Amino acid sequence: LFAEAGVKANVSKRKKQILKIGHGGTLDSAATGVLVVGIGKGTKMLSAILAGSKKYTAIGLLGKATDTLDATGKVTEEKPYDKITKGDLESVLQKFTGDIMQVPPLYSALKKDGERLSSLMKRGEAVEAKPARPVRVYSLSLQHFQPPLFTLDVECGGGFYVRSLVSDIGKELSTCASVQELTRTKQGPFTLEEHALYEDKWTIDEIARSLEHCMSLLPGEPSHKKFKTEDPGETAVSCE
């Protein structure tokens, strides 16, 4: 997904331009889905554009905990889950809706002395857990339950970790749990369904159309020219 403003990209051999590119928030290494990228002046607009909520679809696994809280880590604990019902799980979800306190996972992009906790952990260095902090869950629902797997739809605010949520749900059910699959389906106004540009459409024409579509979501919708491609010898995407 691209959030673009004030950019003129020219791939002519006669002239080269350097564009600033930045993303609007990290995704877990094993996660998929929406990652908004800002280009040029769009990098300065990301905070404002993405001030809204995020949505995720997560598949959790009951009965097994890992050090990373997802399927990429080493198993640290196993507990029985056979007595847990769909009703039990739905009842527990109510405790994790609204304004709650959450402890971030040790394997995360949070930093200590300028370095990510995940990098320190991978090197085997001792890392203390960050203190619990307030986060907001706008909605949380159970979409599917087939033990040991369960599927959640989550809409949350910034700073929220779905891996911590699934782990905490497991503990609340007197077992343990970890994330098996995680997909971000929405970030701010951008959704996986409406704005994602899949790899088989990574052409200059499709990128130009995607940028134009995303421009309508920018605050104030600045004046801009329609994105277009030029002759084969010189391809340009412009916005002024």
Side-chain angles (χ1 to χ4, degrees), residues 95-96 98-104 131-136 160 168:
K95 299 181 180 181
F96 295 96
D99 294 321
I100 63 173
M101 298 296 289
Q102 184 185 72
V103 177
R133 58 185 186 177
V135 292
R136 178 167 294 180
F160 184 84
D168 290 342

Side-chain angles (χ1 to χ4, degrees), residues 33-217:
V34 178
L35 177 63
V36 180
V37 175
I39 304 174
K41 293 181 180 179
T43 58
K44 297 180 179 180
M45 303 173 67
L46 287 174
S47 295
I49 296 171
L50 304 178
S53 63
K54 303 175 184 179
K55 288 185 178 181
Y56 296 88
T57 296
I59 298 177
L61 175 69
L62 292 170
K64 186 175 293 187
T66 70
D67 55 358
T68 60
L69 309 186
D70 64 14
T72 67
K74 298 178 181 178
V75 175
T76 58
E77 186 178 24
E78 293 188 64
K79 286 187 174 182
Y81 58 84
D82 53 295
K83 293 184 179 180
I84 297 172
T85 66
K86 182 179 180 182
D88 293 334
L89 188 49
E90 288 177 328
S91 178
V92 162
L93 296 186
Q94 298 176 14
K95 299 181 180 181
F96 295 96
T97 303
D99 294 321
I100 63 173
M101 298 296 289
Q102 184 185 72
V103 177
L106 289 176
Y107 280 88
S108 69
L110 298 179
K111 294 183 178 181
K112 176 186 177 182
D113 300 327
E115 193 165 3
R116 290 186 176 186
L117 295 184
S118 57
S119 298
L120 297 174
M121 291 288 292
K122 290 176 181 177
R123 290 206 303 266
E125 297 187 22
V127 176
E128 293 184 2
K130 293 284 186 179
R133 58 185 186 177
V135 292
R136 178 167 294 180
V137 180
Y138 295 100
S139 64
L140 176 59
S141 60
L142 178 65
Q143 298 302 310
H144 188 65
F145 182 61
Q146 186 175 354
L149 299 176
F150 61 96
T151 303
L152 302 175
D153 276 351
V154 186
E155 182 172 7
C156 58
F160 184 84
Y161 282 90
V162 178
R163 284 180 291 136
S164 290
L165 168 69
V166 170
S167 176
D168 290 342
I169 287 173
K171 294 174 183 177
E172 193 67 28
L173 290 168
S174 298
T175 182
C176 52
S178 54
V179 171
Q180 293 300 289
E181 295 181 22
L182 181 61
T183 303
R184 183 190 284 163
T185 58
K186 174 182 177 292
Q187 185 178 14
F190 300 96
T191 67
L192 185 60
E193 182 178 357
E194 296 182 21
H195 305 103
L197 190 63
Y198 293 95
E199 189 172 356
D200 61 346
K201 293 187 177 181
W202 286 0
T203 66
I204 189 63
D205 291 321
E206 291 291 347
I207 291 174
R209 275 191 283 271
S210 177
L211 289 172
E212 185 176 8
H213 180 44
C214 291
M215 284 294 292
S216 65
L217 301 177

